[in-house]
Amino acid sequence: MASAGILLVGWQSGVHVADTRSAASAAATGNQDSGTGTTGSSGAASSESAASSGTTGNSGTTGSSGTTDASGASGAAGAAAKAGGTYDGDLVQTRFGTVQVQITVKSGQITDVTALKLTDAEGRSVQISNYAAPILRSEVLQAQSGDVQTVGGATVTSDAYLTSLQAALDAASL
Amino acid sequence: MQQASETTPPLRARTFTCMGTVISLTVPTDAHKAPQAVADELDAATAVVERLFTELDSIFSLYRPDSEASQLVRGELALPEASAEMRARYEEAAEWRILTEGAFTPERPDGALDLSGIVKGHAIREAGKSLMALGLANWCLNAGGDVLVSGSPNPGIDVPWRAGIVDPADRRTLLAGFPLRGAALGSPPQSLSPAGLAPLGEKTADGGTRAALATSGSAERGDHIWSVTAGAAEFRQVSIAAADVVTADVLATAIVAGGVPMLNRATAMWDIEALAVRANGELLATGGFRR
């Protein structure tokens, strides 16, 4: 359930930013023929979402998958909200293995996200834990300049280096 | 951290300027060696690294009118006739363009060839191989904010190198820290394969190796990033920790260009840790960056 929880985080943040792949993938599978039209979006060009869709639901199947288009994702979510029920996501190949999630929708709300398939190359269940999630500054690994041996950052020019923390570290070790 | 700083022996560092930035090589002092011997060894190693960087810069710099890269841009030289080094880097960059679905590209928007996005990472990678070949097991190489390490700053107790990441909003302060471990500790020197296939810092069996940390920004000179989608960049700064420095560097660049979709693609497809700073200052991080 820890894995599903993390996927759920992906879903929730995806609703906010509407461009999260896992959200888009799950949302697209909710795109039933509910009378509001289909998104028509397809992630077939994406190797990550190139897996077969094989989706089942209350009222038919859908072939669209893995869209990263913001309007497509939110549009599909709207369609799913009207339909209700449970929806299986596409099989998505990740470096953790094959991932498939199922969402449960009631009265327009996602009430559950379950990982249907979550296996590594050997077929064992694995935990997905590498999603980059929103985090507070107080929650990241802390560092003071006195504690580090080197400083990373976007490329500094040789002029900017002179006043950089790295220059201070280097000067202390000459 | 306090414990580490108390027990870390003094470090020795040398710097030189190349590729428009400053490269720093840092090694721990060895209690079993005379200080002068450590200094001599470091001077010799720095000279090797500097020669390697200088050679690559003379080929790839677009700031040097006489470089091979400048000749290519001016159309005086065609890629098929270019040097093996140039063609190898173009091939590598082209592979990364496919892997990142175009977020990383070896071409400028006007179509001109620009391998700047991969050359520094390549130089760090090759320098790391040279240092291993010289028999140095413990070192930290920092090229303008991109870092590759081997071994430990305190080989006696084998603690990781601790890297800080600058806060893009205030470059005098650190946004976060990250422990870097070299996979090369105790392993034989890597081969000097020109194809860059030697597994320096490659993932170990436990998958935990993070020898490299690269950071890209959307407002820095020299990063050569163009947003895939028009408009302001979604991320102000992206840091990637990975087993090898080219992967870290390329993916950091690609995520700045490609935004959240590329970030999610990168964390799903590669064994990396990511810390991204949104334009509004909010952070996105994978588990490895959590305290």
Side-chain angles (χ1 to χ4, degrees), chain A residues 95 141 149-152 156 170 173, chain B residues 21 24 142 162 164 177 268 270:
Chain A
R95 68 181 177 82
L141 286 175
Q149 290 96 36
T150 193
V151 176
V156 296
D170 291 338
S173 302
Chain B
T21 187
S24 310
N142 185 324
R162 283 198 55 82
W270 282 273

Side-chain angles (χ1 to χ4, degrees), chain A residues 3 5 15 20 22 31-32 50 54-55 59 73 79 91 103-104 106-107 110 117 123 127 130 136-137 142 159 161 170:
Chain A
S3 307
V15 170
T20 305
S22 59
N31 180 23
Q32 309 296 323
T55 302
S59 56
L91 290 167
I103 62 169
T104 303
K106 282 178 186 160
S107 306
I110 297 168
K117 274 181 185 283
Q127 181 173 342
N130 206 36
L136 297 173
R137 292 198 171 219
Q142 302 294 302
D159 286 344
Y161 167 84
D170 291 338

Side-chain angles (χ1 to χ4, degrees), chain A residues 17 19-21 45-48 93-96 129-135 137-145 147-158 161 165-166 170 173-174, chain B residues 11-13 15 20-22 24 101 120 140 142 144-145 161-167 171 175-177 215 217 220 223 264-265 267-272 281 283-286 288-291:
Chain A
V17 302
D19 54 6
T20 305
R21 181 170 296 278
S46 161
S47 62
E48 189 178 342
Q93 304 297 330
T94 77
R95 68 181 177 82
F96 300 103
S129 60
N130 206 36
Y131 180 77
I135 186 172
R137 292 198 171 219
S138 58
E139 294 173 333
V140 297
L141 286 175
Q142 302 294 302
Q144 304 297 322
S145 53
D147 297 329
V148 300
Q149 290 96 36
T150 193
V151 176
T155 308
V156 296
T157 64
S158 39
Y161 167 84
L165 291 171
Q166 180 65 38
D170 291 338
S173 302
L174 285 176
Chain B
L11 300 172
R12 303 297 295 263
T15 64
T21 187
V22 174
S24 310
E101 297 184 333
K120 190 171 75 168
C140 174
N142 185 324
W161 291 90
R162 283 198 55 82
I165 296 171
V166 295
D167 186 343
R171 302 189 66 87
L175 177 67
T215 300
E220 304 290 335
D223 275 322
N264 290 334
R265 177 175 171 75
T267 55
M269 300 295 287
W270 282 273
D271 185 14
I272 58 171
L283 304 180
L284 295 175
T286 55
F289 273 102
R290 289 179 180 271
R291 58 192 306 184

Side-chain angles (χ1 to χ4, degrees), chain B:
Chain B
M1 277 182 282
Q2 288 77 10
Q3 188 187 3
S5 58
E6 278 171 18
T7 52
T8 299
L11 300 172
R12 303 297 295 263
R14 291 289 181 274
T15 64
F16 63 91
T17 300
C18 191
M19 299 185 179
T21 187
V22 174
I23 292 91
S24 310
L25 178 62
T26 307
V27 299
T29 53
D30 188 333
H32 303 294
K33 287 181 185 171
Q36 190 57 45
V38 172
D40 289 349
E41 191 175 60
L42 179 57
D43 285 339
T46 305
V48 169
V49 172
E50 181 169 10
R51 195 180 319 134
L52 197 151
F53 268 79
T54 304
E55 280 178 18
L56 289 171
D57 192 50
S58 70
I59 297 172
F60 291 100
S61 174
L62 293 174
Y63 295 94
R64 296 169 182 267
D66 58 337
S67 72
E68 193 180 350
S70 292
Q71 292 176 36
L72 277 164
V73 167
R74 290 195 300 267
E76 299 165 12
L77 185 70
L79 199 55
E81 285 90 53
S83 66
E85 176 68 46
M86 177 66 73
R87 284 180 283 123
R89 295 291 76 72
Y90 178 79
E91 186 179 345
E92 187 176 15
E95 284 173 14
W96 278 112
R97 174 165 57 190
I98 294 168
L99 291 170
T100 62
E101 297 184 333
F104 180 89
T105 174
E107 282 158 21
R108 299 196 307 225
D110 64 4
L113 184 67
D114 184 355
L115 296 173
S116 308
I118 204 163
V119 168
K120 190 171 75 168
H122 171 63
I124 299 170
R125 175 178 62 192
E126 295 303 305
K129 288 184 201 169
S130 294
L131 292 172
M132 298 309 296
L134 287 170
L136 269 71
N138 302 289
W139 44 263
C140 174
L141 184 62
N142 185 324
D146 293 334
V147 183
L148 178 67
V149 308
S150 174
S152 167
N154 189 349
I157 55 172
D158 195 22
V159 293
W161 291 90
R162 283 198 55 82
I165 296 171
V166 295
D167 186 343
D170 179 1
R171 302 189 66 87
R172 294 164 301 175
T173 63
L174 296 177
L175 177 67
F178 194 82
L180 295 174
R181 285 184 184 279
L185 194 64
S187 64
Q190 308 293 336
S191 78
L192 285 169
S193 153
L197 296 175
L200 181 71
E202 194 178 33
K203 186 173 71 172
T204 54
D206 65 5
T209 300
R210 307 280 184 226
L213 176 72
T215 300
S216 286
S218 56
E220 304 290 335
R221 167 207 168 273
D223 275 322
H224 300 273
I225 295 168
W226 299 278
S227 187
V228 171
T229 54
E234 205 168 350
F235 293 127
R236 183 157 182 193
Q237 179 173 292
V238 175
S239 298
I240 300 293
D244 83 282
V245 66
V246 171
T247 299
D249 194 18
V250 166
L251 291 179
T253 304
I255 293 165
V256 169
V260 168
M262 185 62 226
L263 172 63
N264 290 334
R265 177 175 171 75
T267 55
M269 300 295 287
W270 282 273
D271 185 14
I272 58 171
E273 299 291 348
L275 175 65
V277 185
R278 287 184 183 275
N280 64 5
E282 290 173 2
L283 304 180
L284 295 175
T286 55
F289 273 102
R290 289 179 180 271
R291 58 192 306 184

